[in-house]
Amino acid sequence: MALGEQTYGFFIPTVSLMGIGSAKETGGQVKALGASRALLVTDKGISAMGMADKIKEQVESAGVKVVIFDGAEPNPTDTNVHDGVKVYQDNQCDAIISLGGGSSHDCAKGIGLVIGNGGHIRDFEGVNKSTKPMPAFVAINTTAGTASEMTRFCIITNTDTHVKMAIVDWRCTPNVAINDPLLMVGKPAALTAATGMDALTHAVEAYVSTIATPITDACAIKAIELIAQYLSPAVANGDNLEARDKMAYAEYLAGMAFNNASLGYVHSMAHQLGGFYNLPHGVCNAILLPAVSQFNLIACPERFADIAVALGENIEGLSVAEAADRAIAAIRRLSASIGIPAGLKALNVKEEDLKVMAENAKKDACQLTNPRKASLEQVIEIFKAAM
Ligand SMILES: [Fe+2]
């Protein structure tokens, strides 16, 4: 799957179901993939809400047995993955369903890679390390969000080093991605805010990526427009179904963008904060996004001016540089208005950890497509600017 210098692939699930009530199709989709016993990977919270049991019932009524594994922790670990592999093997499963946000999907991808290929999940860190397909895989999303239900990205924490391993592998793309806003209503405001800012970060980083294409640009800009319009109402009232529906489209579009244009230093650095302190991914991104954007500004001011327009800023009469500045100001304003902490200090991030996190950020695969190259000192400076 190596792509040439001038050619670009476009990776998405084979089937994507969107809209109110689409999760009702899960059973039919799992059955159509030839499954007879599926492992349903989820987290304890979703399991306690009864949502996993509902999906299990619905899939079993379509004629496929379901075994629930609710051991996907936030920032899922290699241990979570191998616990899931054991449950899959003990129950002789032949398919995987994930239900939740990024943690459930990423844990499920890790399980699938190990089931299909053998070995340890740590063997798959990097790009396209698998050689065999994973089992049939249906991902049902409950946050708007990480877009992990539709991407080839899988982020697993190494419990020895506390580093988040970036696994980018086309074979872990779900066969079917389901985004039903009915599963997103009622989620807490703080979760909606953090996951929505993660989606915005995906769109912004993909739009300024060095490997952006006309397809990813179209997805990214539309995602930014929708997030500017619908994230605040979704945070304000979690039962606002229209806002939830539009945010589901937005996160999916942002996923299409970054699944193919990749990301940049916001994610490379956020992965370190998540791995070191077990902090929520979306909050880390939201705080880092203005600081990294400020650093990136000189690389592609026109792109940031486009982002300002997509965020609803009026740039009439402004120079490109002034318009680009507006993008950063608008991101800060949105973050503050939905209750994202202003800096990393509020998350108890410590100055003495910045150097090692910066070193690891420079090794993270996501920074390869950042529009501006950064030295170690510059990455440390960006961390400091975000404190
Ligand atoms: Fe993300």
Side-chain angles (χ1 to χ4, degrees):
M1 295 304 289
L3 299 170
E5 295 270 308
Q6 302 295 329
T7 54
Y8 298 92
F10 193 74
F11 300 87
I12 48 172
T14 311
V15 178
S16 293
L17 304 178
M18 312 289 300
I20 297 162
S22 53
K24 286 198 189 111
E25 309 289 324
T26 308
Q29 293 293 328
V30 179
K31 183 86 181 155
L33 288 167
S36 60
R37 189 183 294 263
L39 182 75
L40 194 160
V41 180
T42 190
D43 61 54
K44 297 248 173 344
I46 291 207
S47 190
M49 284 163 65
M51 209 185 267
D53 281 332
K54 264 192 201 151
I55 297 289
K56 173 180 161 120
E57 201 178 299
Q58 198 252 100
V59 173
E60 292 200 330
S61 71
V64 179
K65 286 268 172 236
V66 172
V67 179
I68 295 176
F69 168 68
D70 65 3
E73 293 174 308
N75 297 318
T77 65
D78 42 16
T79 311
N80 298 159
V81 169
H82 285 273
D83 288 348
V85 166
K86 184 166 188 320
V87 178
Y88 184 103
Q89 287 169 334
D90 287 351
N91 289 278
Q92 295 172 309
C93 295
D94 57 7
I96 298 175
I97 301 169
S98 58
L99 173 68
S103 307
S104 298
H105 306 311
D106 284 4
C107 186
K109 289 173 181 178
I111 294 167
L113 284 170
V114 174
I115 290 292
N117 292 269
H120 194 277
I121 187 60
R122 292 179 194 171
D123 305 337
F124 299 92
E125 185 174 8
V127 180
N128 294 339
K129 294 288 170 69
S130 73
T131 53
K132 297 190 195 96
M134 59 175 274
F137 179 21
V138 175
I140 311 164
N141 199 24
T142 62
T143 62
T146 64
S148 182
E149 85 286 358
M150 57 81 63
T151 68
R152 56 185 164 137
F153 285 71
C154 168
I155 309 294
I156 302 292
T157 301
N158 179 321
T159 46
D160 283 344
T161 60
H162 302 288
V163 171
K164 280 190 162 193
M165 299 180 288
I167 297 167
V168 186
D169 195 317
W170 67 277
R171 287 191 180 86
C172 72
T173 309
N175 303 103
V176 181
I178 299 177
N179 269 291
D180 184 344
L182 285 179
L183 304 184
M184 299 171 186
V185 293
K187 287 276 154 62
L191 180 71
T192 306
T195 51
M197 289 304 291
D198 183 27
L200 178 64
T201 305
H202 295 154
V204 170
E205 292 213 282
Y207 194 69
V208 301
S209 156
T210 54
I211 59 166
T213 70
I215 310 176
T216 60
D217 285 350
C219 297
I221 285 293
K222 188 66 192 174
I224 295 168
E225 287 174 8
L226 287 168
I227 292 164
Q229 219 181 326
Y230 291 102
L231 177 54
S232 298
V235 172
N237 176 6
D239 293 335
N240 181 334
L241 201 52
E242 189 200 1
R244 292 291 190 187
D245 191 38
K246 292 298 199 310
M247 279 305 298
Y249 276 107
E251 77 91 41
Y252 186 92
L253 283 161
M256 284 209 283
F258 91 83
N259 197 35
N260 299 288
S262 194
L263 295 161
Y265 262 112
V266 182
H267 272 76
S268 293
M269 294 167 69
H271 289 158
Q272 313 318 319
L273 294 168
F276 242 72
Y277 304 107
N278 202 18
L279 292 168
H281 175 64
V283 175
C284 298
N285 279 333
I287 295 173
L288 289 167
L289 181 58
V292 174
S293 296
Q294 191 72 53
F295 174 78
N296 285 341
L297 217 49
I298 60 159
C300 47
E302 298 84 4
R303 293 244 141 195
F304 281 100
D306 293 345
I307 290 168
V309 173
L311 286 166
E313 294 294 297
N314 181 0
I315 63 159
E316 221 179 286
L318 299 183
S319 67
V320 170
E322 288 166 336
D325 285 338
R326 287 285 177 92
I328 298 174
I331 291 167
R332 285 192 201 279
R333 213 167 43 242
L334 175 62
S335 258
S337 72
I338 58 174
I340 300 283
L344 298 173
K345 271 199 187 116
L347 306 178
N348 293 321
V349 173
K350 296 183 184 65
E351 291 258 354
E352 62 256 38
D353 294 333
L354 298 184
K355 184 164 180 281
V356 63
M357 287 196 295
E359 282 166 357
N360 289 330
K362 280 185 67 67
K363 291 181 209 148
D364 185 290
C366 291
Q367 56 77 31
L368 294 169
T369 47
N370 194 73
R372 183 176 174 187
K373 297 291 164 218
S375 66
L376 178 65
E377 288 67 32
Q378 285 171 320
V379 179
I380 295 170
E381 283 309 311
I382 299 169
F383 268 130
K384 284 185 180 164
M387 289 292 274

